[in-house]
Amino acid sequence: MGNRLVILTGAGISAESGLRTFRGNDGMWEHENIEDVCTPRALRRDPKRVMDFYNFLRKGLPSHQPNAAHIALAELEDRLGDDFLLITQNVDDLHERAGSKRVLHMHGDLMKLRCTHNENHVFLFDKEETLDTKCPFCGAGTRPDIVFFEEIPLYMDQIQEALRECDDFVYIGTSSVVYPAAGFKNFAKQFGAKVTCLNLEIPAHDRDTDVFIQGKATEIVPKWCKEFK
Ligand code: NAD
């Protein structure tokens, strides 16, 4: 059986946990140049700088806690089981710490590293990555398990199948401008899903979004989850 409900979350769901969003006021990229930390070219040119940027973000994560929106989604998953799938564009671990289990980090995971020789060698990592960090499976070098600009997001086959089969697709706290994630709503709609958006701001008109609920994630997500049947 497919996932009846598919949720896509973005940086907005973690905003009230104190993590900066992508493009909003004081957004992450106002402080760092994308070219220096988030492209394959940057990794080739200056791997230490790239590692240090993600080391900094990883180190800061434990001081941020899951909020009521993360927790409500984990509780909804408890209720729906395999009828539920959570896709996140976020690289933080707040969904997992709230108790979510069926989570796909399509843009990677700050709490993991990846082998530079075999992309299937991915492992949990909560320390400081250096140029000497080795893959525990084969001893090769490592890189952050982050999908850089120009790279292909993860789990796309699984995601496409889930979007095709779901009855409801809900996107939360995402400006919905980064593709392919921005196209998920249109894809799911094409296959018959009801599409709902929960966000602080009204996004640009989207003909495929059936319901729009405006507000802060910690207020609107728990309420929506409670009412979902
Ligand atoms: P975005 O910054 O482009 O958009 C965030 C959206 O959340 C905006 O539409 C904003 O109106 C909304 N928002 C802000 N505060 C909110 C709140 N309290 N409640 C509800 N909505 C709120 O984020 P995006 O669409 O996820 O951008 C994509 C990229 O940003 C992703 O690739 C992601 O990997 C990266 N990113 C991740 C994190 C993280 O892991 N926490 C943080 C920053 C950026």
Side-chain angles (χ1 to χ4, degrees):
M1 189 163 68
N3 303 105
R4 191 162 75 90
L5 170 63
V6 175
I7 306 257
L8 171 72
T9 61
I13 197 164
S14 296
E16 290 164 82
S17 294
L19 288 171
R20 287 188 202 140
T21 60
F22 191 62
R23 296 189 176 69
N25 280 341
D26 198 30
M28 193 179 279
W29 305 112
E30 285 170 24
H31 298 264
E32 272 293 345
N33 185 356
I34 289 174
E35 275 299 309
D36 293 332
V37 292
C38 200
T39 65
R41 208 172 315 114
L43 190 66
R44 283 195 299 273
R45 196 178 49 216
D46 192 349
K48 186 168 184 317
R49 171 141 192 212
V50 174
M51 287 175 186
D52 283 346
F53 175 67
Y54 293 102
N55 284 336
F56 172 75
L57 295 182
R58 188 180 305 112
K59 200 172 167 190
L61 268 190
S63 61
H64 299 273
Q65 303 309 323
N67 63 46
H70 298 103
I71 292 166
L73 289 179
E75 287 171 356
L76 185 58
E77 178 183 350
D78 276 347
R79 176 151 69 87
L80 297 180
D82 286 338
D83 281 345
F84 177 100
L85 179 68
L86 176 56
I87 304 165
T88 186
Q89 299 170 88
N90 296 345
V91 297
D92 67 57
D93 62 349
L94 298 183
H95 283 305
E96 282 87 350
R97 281 202 271 141
S100 289
K101 291 176 193 71
R102 296 164 180 85
V103 193
L104 298 179
H105 280 270
M106 63 175 289
H107 289 165
D109 187 335
L110 208 43
M111 301 309 291
K112 290 181 181 165
L113 296 185
R114 207 189 299 167
C115 176
T116 48
H117 278 199
N118 184 336
E119 63 180 18
N120 296 319
H121 292 174
V122 177
F123 57 99
L124 284 169
F125 187 83
D126 61 3
K127 303 178 188 68
E128 184 147 321
E129 185 185 21
T130 70
L131 296 173
D132 295 324
T133 304
K134 299 282 182 260
C135 169
F137 302 106
C138 70
T142 60
R143 56 164 279 182
D145 182 33
I146 299 290
V147 176
F148 295 141
F149 289 92
E150 302 159 24
E151 292 184 325
I152 298 168
L154 305 168
Y155 312 111
M156 287 308 293
D157 289 347
Q158 203 177 329
I159 290 173
Q160 215 173 63
E161 195 187 323
L163 294 173
R164 223 184 255 138
E165 291 180 2
C166 70
D167 301 318
D168 278 270
F169 174 74
V170 183
Y171 57 109
I172 303 173
T174 171
S175 55
S176 207
V177 293
V178 177
Y179 279 85
F184 289 176
K185 56 185 180 304
N186 312 97
F187 189 78
K189 182 73 184 179
Q190 197 182 313
F191 286 90
K194 175 181 172 188
V195 176
T196 303
C197 169
L198 280 72
N199 207 54
L200 190 60
E201 299 156 352
I202 299 179
H205 173 73
D206 175 67
R207 67 189 150 77
D208 289 334
T209 301
D210 301 298
V211 179
F212 179 81
I213 300 168
Q214 185 174 16
K216 287 181 176 177
T218 56
E219 289 166 11
I220 58 179
V221 176
K223 185 169 183 296
W224 182 87
C225 286
K226 217 167 154 189
E227 288 167 3
F228 181 78
K229 291 204 175 57

